[in-house]
Amino acid sequence: MRKKFVAGNWKMNKTVAGAIALASELARKIGSDAPPCEIAIAPPFIALDSAREVIKKSPIKLAAQNCHYENDGAYTGEISASMLKAVGCDYVIVGHSERRQYFGETDAIVNKKVKKVLSEGMNAIVCVGETLSEREAGVTEKVVETQVRGALNGVLESEMKSVVIAYEPVWAIGTGKNATPEQAEDVHRFIRQLVASLYSSAVAENLTIQYGGSVKGSNAKDLFAMPNVDGALVGGASLKVDEFYQIIQSAHNFFTTI
Ligand code: 13P
């Protein structure tokens, strides 16, 4: 049974104090009972240490939003995967479209980061997704295939248990316009088939594929009802505890406890 997974990408939001407050409120709300799915939060780098303290008695896992692909050295302003491992991260988001768009991340860079995250024993959340013009040009599958192949180049079958793919159509991110459940399902099914062809049907069956892009409490249920949608990578709504909690609770009807 593949892992069902809801993660909150806080992006460049919250001071350390604000992150502690948000993580504490979420941990209180979730309590210590087994949740309906895996849960993670990805605060900004400087808040990771404090957030870990706050969530350590809860089932919430810690994620980072990015990393560098080298271990250490003269890379001013960067954070390595080993540093993230040392601070207690279980997951690292890699190849988010905002990194690709604003910071020039190519598939080759994303690939190096994925491998580094895996080599540190953490899980990689690999983001893929097309822009609006790409969707309108009918090349969604081509774009997603190139990104998936690029990100996973050289990743071993045995490492795939530590890979999550997040399908995040760029046109749906922060726009309030989520992909319809059917649009998401079509691409998720395509990704699963692609992974089956790259590895095996067992790897594809066990792969968690999250949807991301304007997920809210009100639309999560319909998305989660799709057979190939295994959870969500949530941006804006993860900054509001009630909204994020509602998304997590939406998993109850569709996902069994892991
Ligand atoms: P929004 O949920 O704000 O659309 O952001 C999605 C996202 O980019 C998560 O990584």
Side-chain angles (χ1 to χ4, degrees):
M1 167 95 49
R2 58 183 174 257
K3 179 169 63 191
K4 312 301 180 181
F5 183 23
V6 172
N9 175 8
W10 293 5
K11 307 192 180 183
M12 196 174 70
N13 292 291
K14 301 291 171 189
T15 59
V16 172
I20 291 171
L22 180 57
S24 312
E25 204 184 331
L26 184 66
R28 238 190 339 267
K29 188 122 191 165
I30 288 171
S32 51
D33 292 347
C37 60
E38 176 102 325
I39 303 166
I41 54 171
F45 287 135
I46 57 163
L48 285 171
D49 198 33
S50 323
R52 185 208 53 225
E53 275 306 297
V54 168
I55 61 177
K56 71 179 175 200
K57 292 205 175 80
S58 87
I60 306 168
K61 302 276 175 63
L62 194 63
Q65 300 174 18
N66 179 36
C67 68
H68 197 270
Y69 51 77
E70 294 291 350
N71 287 329
D72 44 45
Y75 299 97
T76 302
E78 292 293 320
I79 302 286
S80 72
S82 55
M83 294 172 187
L84 298 173
K85 172 81 176 172
V87 85
C89 287
D90 291 296
Y91 291 92
V92 182
I93 299 170
V94 180
H96 192 282
S97 63
E98 288 150 13
R99 304 267 347 146
R100 295 177 189 261
Q101 192 179 347
Y102 306 131
F103 303 98
E105 281 193 16
T106 61
D107 287 331
I109 294 172
V110 172
N111 180 238
K112 285 190 190 180
K113 293 186 176 191
V114 170
K115 286 176 173 161
K116 186 52 77 177
V117 168
L118 298 177
S119 77
E120 288 294 334
M122 294 183 289
N123 302 289
I125 302 175
V126 181
C127 301
V128 298
E130 82 287 2
T131 62
L132 183 59
S133 59
E134 288 165 341
R135 174 160 282 264
E136 286 172 349
V139 294
T140 296
E141 291 189 353
K142 192 164 166 280
V143 168
V144 168
E145 175 166 354
T146 303
Q147 291 173 336
V148 170
R149 280 182 183 274
L152 299 182
N153 187 21
V155 173
L156 304 175
E157 177 155 350
S158 59
E159 295 175 311
M160 283 300 290
K161 60 182 183 317
S162 304
V163 172
V164 170
I165 292 184
Y167 169 57
E168 299 206 309
V170 179
W171 49 271
I173 295 177
T175 58
K177 188 179 182 304
N178 62 289
T180 64
E182 293 74 23
Q183 284 172 323
E185 172 64 15
D186 283 348
V187 181
H188 284 225
R189 192 187 318 107
F190 172 76
I191 292 170
R192 204 175 301 286
Q193 284 164 356
L194 174 61
V195 168
S197 76
L198 293 174
Y199 293 94
S200 65
S201 51
V203 167
E205 245 340 279
N206 285 322
L207 177 71
T208 298
I209 308 178
Q210 297 176 309
Y211 166 78
S214 297
V215 177
K216 303 185 272 281
S218 56
N219 61 22
K221 248 186 198 159
D222 290 343
L223 287 158
F224 294 169
M226 294 291 125
N228 283 291
V229 177
D230 307 315
L233 183 54
V234 185
S238 71
L239 298 170
K240 299 177 199 139
V241 168
D242 288 344
E243 195 79 26
F244 192 55
Y245 185 70
Q246 200 184 335
I247 295 168
I248 292 164
Q249 292 304 105
S250 301
H252 262 304
N253 292 342
F254 307 106
F255 305 156
T256 39
T257 305
I258 52 162

